[in-house]
Each structure stands twice: as structure tokens, then as C-alpha cells.
Amino acid sequence: MSNVKELIASMSLPVIAAPMFTVSNPEMALATCAQGMMGTFPAHTTRNVEMLEDWLTTMADGLGRLKAENNGPVGPYGVNLVVHGTNLRLAGDLELCIKHKVPVILTSKGAPGAVFDAVHAYGGLVFHDIASARHAEKALDAGADGLIAVCGGAGGHCGTINPFALVNEVRQMTDKAIILAGAITTGRDVLTAQVMGADLVYMGTRFINTEESGAKDGYRQMIMEANATDIFFTAVMDGAPANLLAPSLIRAGVDLDGLKRQTPGAIVAADEGRKHWKDVWSAGHGVGSINDVLSVAALGDRLKAEYKAAKGDLGRFQAIV
Ligand SMILES: Cc1cc2nc3c(=O)[nH]c(=O)nc-3n(C[C@H](O)[C@H](O)[C@H](O)COP(=O)(O)O)c2cc1C
């Protein structure tokens, strides 16, 4: 894929099912590609390079099958690599992505130009996670093709900045692609993101509640029962600020009132009682509009219908300008 415009034009909806540790897998990614959206997974969910190679082969075979079926646009796929010096697997994982010519590499943490250059060399694209204009500047300097604006309210290790503020700041810096992330759950949200100036969206939490995701039933149930006020922002789990489902923290014996008295970044005892963290779950503020578990195909159909309906609604917005 030589440029982002071509990539978006090849998709039926500008939606990327965001990479989620232990949740995204090839089954979910392929089902997403079958809907003409982008399927992804993090390389670090695999136990080792052999397993990653297996997953990449599954993607190549699956995409070949989907294209042969010729049932409409087949979306591209992406692999998330943690490009920080502390990721000892980076060289091996990157080598496999190069071998398999993974169309899009989604990078997080650090922005090493050498990794971006290696992806560009085989014709791949790089989208890099940013949570501030400073991060965006670094990623642009390193040659990123798109910036994933991870805003306040996102699931996982999220940002804190309001999406309007971050998209506007980044848009002043570049006309490269912006991928908006944070609490996006409906087709209407996708259109809204485009109107705000984004080119694509990252949708994470909504995809946890699909039949293909790797999430446990209890996790999906908790998401269905939760509202935005049930999401707790804290670094207690691994030292990095993240949005977590408060009921899962309470069940693990975490004192939320105690945490509230500290700033999220001040919590350092990340390893304390580590075994409790197994069933502490992450989700974004979008949980309040997630009330079901459905197949990725059904979700794709719904997102497209919602998007179309929202587009049809645009005419009713009145302003004297
Ligand atoms: C359970 C969970 C695991 C995640 N794991 C990763 C990950 O491994 N790598 C990554 O880059 N982002 C990860 N994220 C962040 C998502 O890629 C994405 O930015 C976020 O889910 C978007 O916000 P939303 O969940 O409100 O849609 C994770 C998010 C969740 C909810």
C-alpha cells in the first residue's frame, strides 16, 4: 500500500479495530477485514516469534480466501509493535513483519526512525500512537505516515487530552493522516471523527464485545453493565496510566478511594499483589453505549448502517452562516 489515501479508498468504512493485548487475534482481525475495515493485533500477544509467524501466515491465507470469495472490499491488516528499547522482541518481530510485508505497522512508545524506514522499504505504512502535540512532532520527524491520537476516555494506556483539542493541535502541524482514538463506538461517531478532521478511527472497547474477541464472558458482561463513570483512570496496574473497569478493581481488592487521593502517575507499587491483576480489565469511556455481544460481521453491518443514517441526518443541522 503506497499511501494512506489508497489505503482508505480500499476500505468500506474508515475503521481500525484497535490492537488490544490478549483481546485481538487473527480470528477477530480476519472477520474485521471481511467487513472492509482494518483488522489488527499486537505482536506481543503472541508468546514468541514462532507463534507470531503462525498468526501472520493465518492472516495471509485468510485474506487470500476472502479476496477469492469476492464479496466486496477486503480491508487491510495491521500489527502493533512496541518500538521501545525495552521490547527485547522488537528486532525479531519486525523481521517477521518485513518478511510478511504487513501492510500497516502500528507503533507505540518511542518513535525510532530506523523502524519506520524498514517498514517503508517494503512498502508498508506506519501509524504511531501519540497523546500530545510533542509526541506528534517526534513521530512526524521520524517519518510516520499517520498519527493515532489517543485521547482522554480511550481504553488501555490512554491519553488525557480532549479529542477536539488534540485533533486541532495536530491538524495545525500536518496534513498527514490522523487516526482518532477514544470512546468511539458507533457509526455516527465515525462520521463525527471525520468531520472533526480525522481520517480514520481506532475502535477498541467496542470490539471486546464481539464473539471473535479473546475476552472472557465476565469481561464482556461487565462492559455491558458499565457506564462511563465506572471507568477508573489509574497507573496502579503496571505503572502506566490506563482506563480500567472499576468493578474489576474493586473485586481485586483495590482501594479506589485511596487511589483517588493520589495522582495517577504517583502510583509506583505496580507489582504489589500482581496475581490480583489477572482479572482486572481495561475499557474506555464508550462502555455506556455497548449493550451486547455480537459477531464482527453484525457489528460491521451496524456501523455501516449507523454511518449512513448519520450522513443522511446532516441536512437537518441548521446554522445561519
Ligand atoms: C483491553 C485493551 C488492551 C489494549 N492493548 C493495547 C496494545 O496491546 N497495544 C496498543 O497499542 N494499544 C492497546 N490498547 C489501546 C487500543 O489500541 C486503543 O487505543 C483504544 O482501545 C481506543 O479506545 P476505545 O477502547 O475507547 O475505543 C488496548 C486497549 C484495551 C481496551
Side-chain angles (χ1 to χ4, degrees), residues 16-24 40-45 80-82 106-109 129 148-159 180-185 202-208 219 223 243-244 280-287 290:
I16 302 175
M20 291 178 286
F21 181 57
T22 70
V23 172
S24 327
T40 73
F41 51 76
H44 50 274
T45 293
N80 170 224
L81 295 179
V82 175
L106 307 155
T107 53
S108 48
K109 311 218 171 95
D129 264 19
I148 306 161
V150 185
C151 297
H157 293 129
C158 52
L180 184 60
I184 295 172
T185 52
Y202 233 32
M203 206 180 271
T205 302
R206 176 59 268 195
F207 277 84
I208 298 173
Y219 188 176
I223 285 178
N243 271 328
L244 304 174
V280 170
W281 296 317
S282 175
H285 286 184
V287 285
I290 302 172

Coordinates of all heavy atoms in Angstrom, one line a residue, residues 16-24 40-45 80-82 106-109 129 148-159 180-185 202-208 219 223 243-244 280-287 290, ligand 1:
I16 N -10.5 1.2 12.1 CA -9.5 0.2 12.5 C -9.9 -0.4 13.8 O -10.1 0.3 14.8 CB -8.1 0.9 12.7 CG1 -7.7 1.6 11.4 CG2 -7.0 -0.1 13.1 CD1 -6.4 2.5 11.5
A17 N -10.1 -1.7 13.8 CA -10.3 -2.4 15.1 C -9.0 -2.4 15.8 O -8.0 -3.0 15.4 CB -10.8 -3.9 14.9
A18 N -8.9 -1.6 16.9 CA -7.6 -1.3 17.5 C -7.0 -2.5 18.1 O -7.6 -3.4 18.6 CB -7.8 -0.2 18.6
P19 N -5.6 -2.6 18.1 CA -4.9 -3.7 18.7 C -5.1 -3.7 20.2 O -4.9 -2.7 20.9 CB -3.5 -3.5 18.3 CG -3.3 -2.0 18.1 CD -4.7 -1.5 17.6
M20 N -5.5 -4.9 20.7 CA -5.7 -5.0 22.2 C -5.1 -6.2 22.7 O -5.4 -7.3 22.3 CB -7.2 -4.9 22.5 CG -7.9 -3.6 22.2 SD -9.7 -3.6 22.6 CE -10.3 -4.5 21.2
F21 N -4.2 -6.1 23.6 CA -3.4 -7.2 24.2 C -4.4 -8.2 24.7 O -5.3 -7.9 25.5 CB -2.5 -6.6 25.4 CG -1.7 -7.6 26.0 CD1 -0.8 -8.4 25.3 CD2 -1.8 -7.8 27.4 CE1 0.0 -9.4 26.0 CE2 -1.0 -8.8 28.1 CZ -0.1 -9.5 27.3
T22 N -4.1 -9.5 24.3 CA -4.9 -10.7 24.7 C -6.3 -10.7 24.2 O -7.0 -11.7 24.3 CB -4.9 -11.0 26.2 OG1 -5.7 -10.0 26.9 CG2 -3.6 -11.1 26.8
V23 N -6.8 -9.6 23.6 CA -8.2 -9.5 23.1 C -8.2 -9.7 21.6 O -9.0 -10.5 21.1 CB -8.9 -8.1 23.5 CG1 -10.2 -8.0 22.8 CG2 -9.0 -8.0 25.0
S24 N -7.4 -9.0 20.9 CA -7.4 -9.1 19.4 C -6.6 -10.3 19.0 O -5.6 -10.7 19.6 CB -6.7 -7.9 18.7 OG -6.9 -6.7 19.4
T40 N -6.5 -5.9 13.3 CA -5.2 -5.7 13.8 C -5.0 -6.7 15.0 O -6.0 -7.1 15.6 CB -4.9 -4.3 14.3 OG1 -5.6 -4.1 15.5 CG2 -5.2 -3.2 13.3
F41 N -3.7 -6.8 15.4 CA -3.5 -7.4 16.7 C -2.1 -7.0 17.2 O -1.2 -6.6 16.3 CB -3.6 -9.0 16.7 CG -2.8 -9.6 15.6 CD1 -1.4 -9.8 15.7 CD2 -3.4 -10.1 14.5 CE1 -0.7 -10.4 14.7 CE2 -2.7 -10.7 13.5 CZ -1.4 -10.9 13.5
P42 N -1.8 -7.0 18.5 CA -0.4 -6.7 18.9 C 0.5 -7.9 18.8 O 0.1 -9.0 19.2 CB -0.6 -6.3 20.4 CG -2.1 -6.5 20.7 CD -2.7 -7.2 19.6
A43 N 1.7 -7.7 18.3 CA 2.6 -8.8 18.2 C 2.9 -9.4 19.6 O 3.1 -10.6 19.7 CB 3.9 -8.3 17.6
H44 N 2.8 -8.6 20.6 CA 3.2 -9.0 22.0 C 2.1 -9.9 22.6 O 2.3 -10.5 23.7 CB 3.6 -7.9 22.9 CG 2.6 -6.7 22.9 ND1 2.7 -5.7 22.0 CD2 1.6 -6.5 23.7 CE1 1.7 -4.8 22.3 NE2 1.0 -5.3 23.3
T45 N 1.0 -10.1 21.9 CA 0.0 -11.1 22.5 C 0.5 -12.5 22.2 O 0.2 -13.4 22.9 CB -1.4 -10.9 21.9 OG1 -1.9 -9.7 22.3 CG2 -2.3 -12.0 22.3
N80 N 0.6 -4.4 15.7 CA 1.1 -3.4 16.7 C 2.5 -3.9 17.2 O 2.6 -5.0 17.7 CB 0.1 -3.3 17.8 CG 0.5 -2.5 19.0 OD1 0.3 -2.9 20.1 ND2 1.2 -1.4 18.8
L81 N 3.5 -3.0 17.1 CA 4.8 -3.3 17.7 C 5.1 -2.2 18.7 O 5.0 -1.0 18.4 CB 5.9 -3.2 16.6 CG 5.8 -4.3 15.4 CD1 7.0 -4.0 14.5 CD2 5.9 -5.7 16.0
V82 N 5.6 -2.7 19.8 CA 6.1 -1.7 20.8 C 7.5 -1.4 20.5 O 8.4 -2.3 20.5 CB 6.0 -2.3 22.3 CG1 6.6 -1.4 23.3 CG2 4.5 -2.6 22.6
L106 N 1.5 -0.6 13.4 CA 1.0 0.4 14.4 C 2.0 0.4 15.5 O 2.2 -0.6 16.2 CB -0.3 -0.1 14.9 CG -1.3 -0.4 13.7 CD1 -2.4 -1.4 14.2 CD2 -2.0 0.9 13.3
T107 N 2.7 1.5 15.7 CA 3.7 1.5 16.7 C 3.3 2.3 17.9 O 2.5 3.3 17.8 CB 5.0 2.2 16.1 OG1 4.7 3.4 15.5 CG2 5.6 1.2 15.0
S108 N 3.8 1.9 19.1 CA 3.6 2.6 20.3 C 4.9 2.7 21.1 O 5.7 1.8 21.0 CB 2.5 2.0 21.1 OG 2.7 0.6 21.2
K109 N 5.0 3.8 21.8 CA 6.2 4.1 22.7 C 7.5 4.3 21.9 O 7.9 3.4 21.2 CB 6.4 2.9 23.7 CG 5.1 2.5 24.5 CD 5.4 2.2 25.9 CE 4.1 2.0 26.7 NZ 3.6 0.7 26.8
D129 N 1.2 5.9 17.7 CA 0.4 6.4 18.9 C 1.0 7.7 19.4 O 2.2 7.8 19.7 CB 0.5 5.4 20.1 CG -0.6 4.4 20.1 OD1 -1.3 4.2 19.1 OD2 -0.8 3.8 21.2
I148 N -1.9 8.3 15.5 CA -3.0 7.8 16.2 C -3.2 8.7 17.5 O -2.4 8.6 18.4 CB -2.8 6.3 16.6 CG1 -2.4 5.5 15.4 CG2 -4.0 5.8 17.4 CD1 -1.8 4.1 15.7
A149 N -4.2 9.5 17.4 CA -4.4 10.5 18.5 C -5.2 9.8 19.6 O -6.4 9.6 19.6 CB -5.2 11.7 18.0
V150 N -4.5 9.3 20.6 CA -5.1 8.6 21.7 C -5.5 9.6 22.8 O -4.7 10.2 23.5 CB -4.1 7.5 22.3 CG1 -4.9 6.7 23.4 CG2 -3.5 6.6 21.2
C151 N -6.8 9.8 22.8 CA -7.4 10.9 23.6 C -7.9 10.4 25.0 O -8.0 9.2 25.3 CB -8.5 11.6 22.9 SG -7.9 12.3 21.3
G152 N -8.3 11.4 25.8 CA -9.0 11.0 27.1 C -10.2 10.1 26.8 O -10.9 10.3 25.8
G153 N -10.4 9.2 27.7 CA -11.6 8.3 27.5 C -11.3 7.0 26.7 O -12.2 6.2 26.6
A154 N -10.1 6.9 26.2 CA -9.7 5.7 25.4 C -9.5 4.5 26.4 O -9.1 4.7 27.5 CB -8.5 5.9 24.6
G155 N -9.7 3.3 25.9 CA -9.3 2.1 26.7 C -7.8 1.9 26.6 O -7.1 2.4 25.8
G156 N -7.4 1.1 27.6 CA -5.9 0.7 27.6 C -5.1 1.9 28.2 O -5.6 2.7 28.9
H157 N -3.9 2.0 27.8 CA -3.0 3.1 28.2 C -3.4 4.3 27.4 O -2.9 4.5 26.3 CB -1.5 2.7 28.0 CG -1.1 1.6 28.9 ND1 -0.4 0.5 28.4 CD2 -1.2 1.4 30.2 CE1 -0.2 -0.3 29.4 NE2 -0.6 0.2 30.5
C158 N -4.2 5.1 28.0 CA -4.9 6.2 27.2 C -4.2 7.5 27.4 O -3.2 7.6 28.2 CB -6.3 6.3 27.7 SG -6.4 6.5 29.4
G159 N -4.6 8.5 26.6 CA -4.2 9.8 26.8 C -5.1 10.5 27.8 O -6.0 9.9 28.3
L180 N -8.3 8.8 15.0 CA -8.8 9.3 16.3 C -9.1 8.1 17.2 O -9.8 7.2 16.7 CB -10.0 10.2 16.1 CG -10.6 10.8 17.4 CD1 -9.5 11.7 18.1 CD2 -11.8 11.7 17.0
A181 N -8.7 8.1 18.4 CA -8.9 7.0 19.3 C -9.5 7.5 20.6 O -9.0 8.5 21.2 CB -7.7 6.2 19.6
G182 N -10.5 6.8 21.1 CA -11.1 7.2 22.4 C -12.6 7.2 22.4 O -13.2 8.2 21.9
A183 N -13.2 6.1 23.0 CA -14.6 6.0 23.2 C -15.5 6.1 21.9 O -16.7 6.4 22.0 CB -15.1 7.2 24.1
I184 N -14.9 5.7 20.8 CA -15.6 5.7 19.5 C -16.3 4.3 19.4 O -15.6 3.3 19.5 CB -14.7 6.0 18.3 CG1 -14.1 7.4 18.4 CG2 -15.4 5.7 17.0 CD1 -13.0 7.7 17.5
T185 N -17.6 4.3 19.4 CA -18.3 3.0 19.4 C -19.4 2.9 18.3 O -19.9 1.8 18.1 CB -19.1 2.9 20.8 OG1 -19.9 4.0 21.1 CG2 -18.1 2.7 21.9
Y202 N -9.9 4.6 15.4 CA -9.4 3.4 16.1 C -10.6 3.0 17.1 O -11.0 3.9 17.9 CB -8.2 3.8 17.0 CG -6.9 3.1 16.9 CD1 -6.5 2.5 15.7 CD2 -6.1 2.9 18.1 CE1 -5.3 1.8 15.7 CE2 -4.9 2.3 18.0 CZ -4.5 1.7 16.8 OH -3.3 1.1 16.7
M203 N -11.1 1.8 17.0 CA -12.2 1.4 17.8 C -11.7 0.2 18.6 O -11.5 -0.9 18.0 CB -13.4 1.1 16.9 CG -14.7 1.2 17.6 SD -16.1 0.8 16.5 CE -16.5 2.4 15.7
G204 N -11.6 0.4 19.9 CA -11.1 -0.7 20.7 C -12.2 -1.4 21.5 O -12.7 -2.5 21.1
T205 N -12.6 -0.8 22.6 CA -13.6 -1.4 23.5 C -14.8 -2.0 22.8 O -15.2 -3.1 23.2 CB -14.0 -0.3 24.5 OG1 -12.8 0.2 25.2 CG2 -14.9 -0.9 25.6
R206 N -15.3 -1.3 21.8 CA -16.5 -1.9 21.1 C -16.2 -3.3 20.6 O -17.1 -4.2 20.6 CB -16.9 -0.9 20.0 CG -18.0 -1.4 19.1 CD -19.4 -1.6 19.8 NE -19.6 -3.0 20.2 CZ -20.7 -3.5 20.5 NH1 -21.8 -2.7 20.6 NH2 -20.8 -4.8 20.9
F207 N -15.0 -3.5 20.2 CA -14.6 -4.9 19.6 C -14.4 -5.9 20.7 O -14.3 -7.1 20.4 CB -13.4 -4.7 18.7 CG -13.8 -4.3 17.3 CD1 -14.0 -2.9 17.0 CD2 -14.0 -5.2 16.3 CE1 -14.4 -2.5 15.7 CE2 -14.4 -4.8 15.0 CZ -14.6 -3.5 14.7
I208 N -14.2 -5.5 21.9 CA -14.0 -6.5 23.0 C -15.3 -7.3 23.1 O -15.3 -8.6 23.2 CB -13.8 -5.8 24.4 CG1 -12.5 -5.0 24.4 CG2 -13.8 -6.9 25.5 CD1 -12.2 -4.2 25.6
Y219 N -15.8 -10.5 31.4 CA -15.3 -9.2 31.0 C -16.4 -8.5 30.1 O -16.7 -7.3 30.3 CB -14.0 -9.5 30.2 CG -13.2 -8.3 29.7 CD1 -12.0 -8.6 29.0 CD2 -13.5 -7.0 29.9 CE1 -11.1 -7.6 28.6 CE2 -12.6 -6.0 29.5 CZ -11.4 -6.3 28.8 OH -10.6 -5.3 28.4
I223 N -18.6 -5.0 30.8 CA -18.7 -3.9 29.8 C -20.2 -3.6 29.6 O -20.6 -2.4 29.6 CB -18.0 -4.2 28.5 CG1 -16.5 -4.1 28.8 CG2 -18.4 -3.3 27.4 CD1 -15.6 -4.4 27.6
N243 N -7.1 3.3 31.6 CA -8.5 3.3 32.0 C -8.9 1.8 32.3 O -8.8 0.9 31.4 CB -9.4 3.9 30.9 CG -9.5 5.4 31.0 OD1 -9.5 5.9 32.1 ND2 -9.7 6.1 29.9
L244 N -9.4 1.6 33.5 CA -9.8 0.3 33.9 C -11.2 0.2 34.4 O -11.7 1.2 34.9 CB -8.8 -0.2 35.1 CG -7.3 -0.1 34.8 CD1 -6.5 -0.4 36.0 CD2 -6.9 -1.1 33.7
V280 N -8.3 -8.0 36.3 CA -8.6 -6.5 36.2 C -8.6 -6.2 34.8 O -7.7 -6.5 34.0 CB -7.5 -5.7 37.0 CG1 -7.7 -4.2 36.7 CG2 -7.7 -6.0 38.5
W281 N -9.7 -5.6 34.3 CA -9.9 -5.4 32.9 C -10.0 -3.9 32.5 O -10.4 -3.1 33.3 CB -11.2 -6.1 32.5 CG -11.2 -7.6 32.7 CD1 -10.2 -8.4 32.4 CD2 -12.2 -8.4 33.3 NE1 -10.5 -9.7 32.7 CE2 -11.7 -9.7 33.2 CE3 -13.5 -8.1 33.8 CZ2 -12.5 -10.8 33.7 CZ3 -14.2 -9.2 34.3 CH2 -13.7 -10.5 34.2
S282 N -9.5 -3.7 31.3 CA -9.5 -2.3 30.8 C -10.6 -2.1 29.8 O -11.0 -3.0 29.1 CB -8.1 -2.1 30.1 OG -8.1 -0.8 29.4
A283 N -11.1 -0.8 29.8 CA -12.1 -0.4 28.8 C -12.1 1.1 28.8 O -11.7 1.8 29.7 CB -13.5 -1.0 29.2
G284 N -12.7 1.6 27.7 CA -12.8 3.1 27.5 C -14.1 3.6 28.0 O -15.0 2.9 28.3
H285 N -14.3 5.0 27.9 CA -15.5 5.6 28.3 C -16.7 5.2 27.5 O -17.8 5.5 27.9 CB -15.3 7.1 28.3 CG -14.5 7.7 29.4 ND1 -14.3 9.0 29.6 CD2 -13.8 7.1 30.4 CE1 -13.5 9.2 30.6 NE2 -13.2 8.0 31.1
G286 N -16.5 4.6 26.3 CA -17.6 4.3 25.4 C -18.4 3.1 25.9 O -19.4 2.8 25.3
V287 N -18.1 2.5 27.0 CA -18.8 1.4 27.5 C -20.3 1.6 27.7 O -21.1 0.7 27.5 CB -18.3 0.9 28.9 CG1 -17.0 0.1 28.8 CG2 -18.2 2.0 29.9
I290 N -22.4 0.3 24.9 CA -22.2 -1.1 24.4 C -23.0 -2.0 25.3 O -22.8 -2.2 26.5 CB -20.7 -1.5 24.6 CG1 -19.8 -0.5 23.7 CG2 -20.4 -3.0 24.2 CD1 -18.3 -0.7 23.9
Ligands
LIG1 C1 -8.0 -4.3 26.7 C2 -7.2 -3.4 25.9 C3 -5.9 -3.7 25.6 C4 -5.2 -2.9 24.8 N1 -3.9 -3.2 24.4 C5 -3.2 -2.5 23.5 C6 -2.0 -2.9 23.0 O1 -1.5 -4.0 23.3 N2 -1.3 -2.1 22.2 C7 -1.8 -0.8 21.8 O2 -1.1 -0.1 21.1 N3 -2.9 -0.4 22.3 C8 -3.7 -1.2 23.2 N4 -4.9 -0.7 23.6 C9 -5.4 0.6 23.2 C10 -6.2 0.4 21.9 O3 -5.4 0.1 20.8 C11 -6.9 1.7 21.5 O4 -6.1 2.8 21.6 C12 -8.1 2.0 22.5 O5 -8.8 0.8 22.8 C13 -9.1 3.0 21.8 O6 -10.1 3.5 22.8 P1 -11.5 2.7 23.0 O7 -11.2 1.5 23.7 O8 -12.2 3.7 23.8 O9 -12.1 2.5 21.6 C14 -5.7 -1.6 24.4 C15 -7.0 -1.2 24.8 C16 -7.8 -2.1 25.5 C17 -9.1 -1.7 25.9

